[in-house]
Amino acid sequence: MAVQRRSPAESVAMTGNEAVADAMRQINPDVVAAYPITPATEIVQIFSAYAADGRVDTEMVLAESEHSAMSATIGASAAGARAMTATSSQGLLLMHEMLYVASGARQPIVMPVVNRAVSAPLNIHCDHSDTMGSRDAGWIQIYSENAQEAYDNLIQAIRIAEHPNVQLPCMVMMDGFIISHGMENLFTLPDETVKEFIGERKPLYPLLDVDNPVTFGPVDFTDFYFEHKRQQFEAMLEAKKAILEVAAEFEKISGHRYGLFETYQLDDAEMAIVVMSSAAGTSRYVIDRLRRQGLKVGMLKPRVFRPFPAEELAEALKDIPVVAVMDRSDSFSGQGGPLFAEIRAALYEYDKRPIMVNYIYGLGGRDVRVESIESVYRDLDIIRRTGVVGPRVRHLDVRE
Amino acid sequence: MVAPLKVLSNRSDRLTSGHRACPGCGFPIVLKMVLLATEDPVVVANATGCAEVCTSIFPYTAWDVPWIHSAFENAGATIAGVEAAYQSLKRQGKIDPDRTIRFVAFGGDGGTYDIGLQALSGAMERGHNILYVCYDNGAYMNTGIQRSSATPPGAHTTTSPVGKQSTGKREKRKDLTAIMAAHDIPYVAQASIHNHRDLMRKAEKGLHVDGPAFLNVLSPCPLGWGTNTAMGVEYSRLAVETCFWPLFEVENGEWKLSYKPRKKLPVTEFLKDQVRFRHLFRDESLIEEIQADVDRRWQQLLERCGESAE
Ligand SMILES: Cc1ncc(C[n+]2csc(CCOP(=O)(O)OP(=O)(O)O)c2C)c(N)n1
């Protein structure tokens, strides 16, 4: 995110959860169906207070599980409503079956997800295992570095999901506790500006149009299922365009510039890390430090993971000699995390490509310190100078 | 008041012919009768199961009303979401506020007694303005006759098969209708297709009551029960006459018997000629056990309804 200078006096101090709840208040969805789970509980808690005070027109469905929360959200969306929910970790996992139904039924549901580790063992702190586990569920996935981005992304997500060429659900992530509970200064938009920006939802075949009955979620066998999946593939390609289109419009109202990913000191970098979400902030700080010491280091921060911007990422990384991809989850393939696998695959087409290593980091909320990131760059420097790669998949800051 | 047959016969079916249910199947009758009980527009949600699979094979549909299927265990939650959208959009004036729409969910016994119980319970507890109808055919029929918690004791199913050391399902039936009544919702009832006036009266009540309603309807399955396809209605009648499937309703907490057989028939009248129960007739004590269970439950129901056995 590139920010136009605004007077700090215009900023407000909010936690990530507060920022997201505030964005939801401005979105004013017709229906919110949800179930509590740390660290996302607060979003719905704060939002419930807005509903209780009549500050939103939302019908609340306080479901008895996340599975039902997502089911009710799907029902509401199919009925023609703008419907939202929010969750994290085990809650997202319990929704898993319904995530595919939401995307397969092409319902533009928007859901903030607060990233948290998954059981077992039980852990409430941040990593990305929850949403990486649903990366193939047909949802658009947008990751936010901080509360400002979470706020901005959530508002944009409504437009992206409901874009006529897209009609897909979208989840917007922020890191559990680090961002969800961390207080930061951010800029919100006036209510009217948000309202105008998102407009009214224009549902395609709402169930509540009782004079034109439609059959939703039929049995779809060998003769048509594949065609419907092919359409979903197409919609994801369209989503990439829509994300950029919506970002350009959002820049006009906010001064905040978004793309598929963000780069920092990458142009002349000899060593780079690819890292998502809150750890990008720490990385920027480390880059500034190391640059002062003469090391040409840079960073690429993916924002959009689904659709996966393969060509764009590859173009941005192909000329960098050594790259470390940071994964805050493990796919347990034995070959590294999901981000690593996909970025490596994206670079396969290129004759000249970086030496790449993978760092699994920050699982279960393991703190990502300045020294942690610095050690990664030092490792890359050794690889760059010696050409010796060593282990392809590494675990950062872990007791062996 | 249920409209007279003459009037009903002129209402157009909301579940049209051409669906692919087996000959003699009970659920199409249940679905049709329930939906004939109101002239208001309805939106239907369906759990995965025979009813869903047989009526919605793309690019065809047997539904002449808006209909949604999303998964197996969540018809209660799905219809709750649709109803919440309706309340919200109506309140905001985004849809015609003067047009009343009714919301109905259908699920088989597996999708209702078992995997869908939580979503159903949640929807009932939250007070959505919906009618949930269970068509209870006594097993997971769509996947090939596996036992559910609604399967009667003694029944042979593919997962409670009769074998050298097995006499079919060991466990008793879960009393789902009573569980729904325990939710203290405005209307709960049990009905049968052989008594269409009673069934439609109950559907009508359930559809028009303010708040959640639950209706449990016995639904014969010739394939799963091993019965003659022409005999579904007769088996439904025998289920009621033997008090295996009593007809009653619970209105605002008040239990009321809808029908009391003049002479309660022995349960064997219902069990006989059903292939799933055939093995029971080789051992009198098994039949006695089942009869005792039916008698005990019937007695309990009479007490709840303030009725005497006579
Ligand atoms: C989560 C999940 N588990 C299992 C299934 C497989 N399944 C589909 S239909 C069905 C049986 C349905 O039985 P019931 O609800 O009694 O309805 P019927 O088929 O008898 O109409 C099962 C087990 C499924 N679709 N989803």
Side-chain angles (χ1 to χ4, degrees), chain A residues 106-345:
Chain A
R106 305 293 296 276
Q107 292 308 311
I109 291 162
V110 171
M111 168 168 69
V113 181
V114 184
N115 280 118
R116 167 183 149 180
V118 301
S119 292
L122 190 146
N123 182 304
I124 58 168
H125 295 283
C126 175
D127 70 37
H128 299 163
S129 306
D130 50 2
T131 52
M132 280 297 158
S134 42
R135 65 187 182 272
D136 296 337
W139 283 59
I140 296 165
Q141 287 199 336
I142 302 179
Y143 289 80
S144 323
E145 179 185 330
N146 49 37
Q148 179 73 68
E149 290 195 4
Y151 171 87
D152 291 351
N153 283 335
L154 199 69
I155 291 166
Q156 292 175 71
I158 299 284
R159 286 280 304 276
I160 296 163
E162 292 178 9
H163 191 289
N165 298 346
V166 178
Q167 299 288 321
L168 285 175
C170 178
M171 50 178 93
V172 174
M173 274 59 83
M174 65 176 151
D175 280 351
F177 289 109
I178 303 163
I179 302 304
S180 66
H181 288 61
M183 186 71 80
E184 102 189 38
N185 280 333
L186 61 118
F187 297 97
T188 59
L189 295 163
D191 292 357
E192 270 311 306
T193 308
V194 175
K195 192 175 170 187
E196 219 171 279
F197 182 76
I198 61 170
E200 287 276 318
R201 180 182 173 203
K202 293 177 198 71
L204 281 178
Y205 304 102
L207 286 170
L208 292 178
D209 181 4
V210 287
D211 299 322
N212 298 292
V214 284
T215 292
F216 254 96
V219 177
D220 194 15
F221 282 139
T222 47
D223 44 0
F224 288 103
Y225 181 87
F226 203 173
E227 279 70 23
H228 289 132
K229 291 295 138 185
R230 180 70 176 81
Q231 290 177 346
Q232 245 176 282
F233 169 84
E234 209 58 46
M236 263 300 175
L237 297 185
E238 289 293 323
K240 199 157 89 177
K241 293 182 216 159
I243 287 165
L244 294 174
E245 219 176 273
V246 172
E249 278 189 54
F250 188 76
E251 188 180 352
K252 288 189 200 135
I253 61 163
S254 66
H256 299 175
R257 183 178 306 149
Y258 287 92
L260 300 167
F261 52 81
E262 186 188 322
T263 58
Y264 188 70
Q265 300 281 18
L266 201 65
D267 289 347
D268 65 340
E270 292 174 337
M271 295 162 279
I273 65 170
V274 178
V275 66
M276 300 201 302
S277 305
S278 66
T282 316
S283 305
R284 241 185 247 103
Y285 175 81
V286 173
I287 289 167
D288 290 347
R289 238 163 73 156
L290 295 180
R291 283 260 169 187
R292 281 197 293 274
Q293 296 170 21
L295 284 176
K296 288 189 170 171
V297 291
M299 174 188 73
L300 186 148
K301 180 189 75 173
R303 170 185 178 234
V304 178
F305 187 68
R306 285 289 180 269
F308 190 69
E311 302 94 57
E312 293 86 348
L313 282 168
E315 274 300 320
L317 292 171
K318 66 180 194 323
D319 296 323
I320 299 165
V322 199
V323 170
V325 177
M326 312 281 292
D327 266 291
R328 203 161 191 160
S329 68
D330 196 347
S331 65
F332 297 107
S333 65
Q335 302 298 315
L339 191 57
F340 181 58
E342 298 211 15
I343 290 183
R344 263 185 120 195

Side-chain angles (χ1 to χ4, degrees), chain A residues 97, chain B residues 48-50 72-73 108-111 115 135 137 139-143:
Chain A
E97 181 193 28
Chain B
T48 311
C50 291
F72 184 22
E73 65 280 48
D109 48 287
I115 199 166
Y135 63 95
N137 53 25
Y140 299 125
M141 296 308 182
N142 187 52
T143 36

Side-chain angles (χ1 to χ4, degrees), chain A residues 30 59 97 211 215-216 219, chain B residues 58 61 67 73 88 91 99:
Chain A
D30 301 307
E59 187 75 17
E97 181 193 28
D211 299 322
T215 292
F216 254 96
V219 177
Chain B
F58 190 87
T61 181
W67 180 91
E73 65 280 48
S88 178
R91 185 158 31 75
R99 193 142 184 218

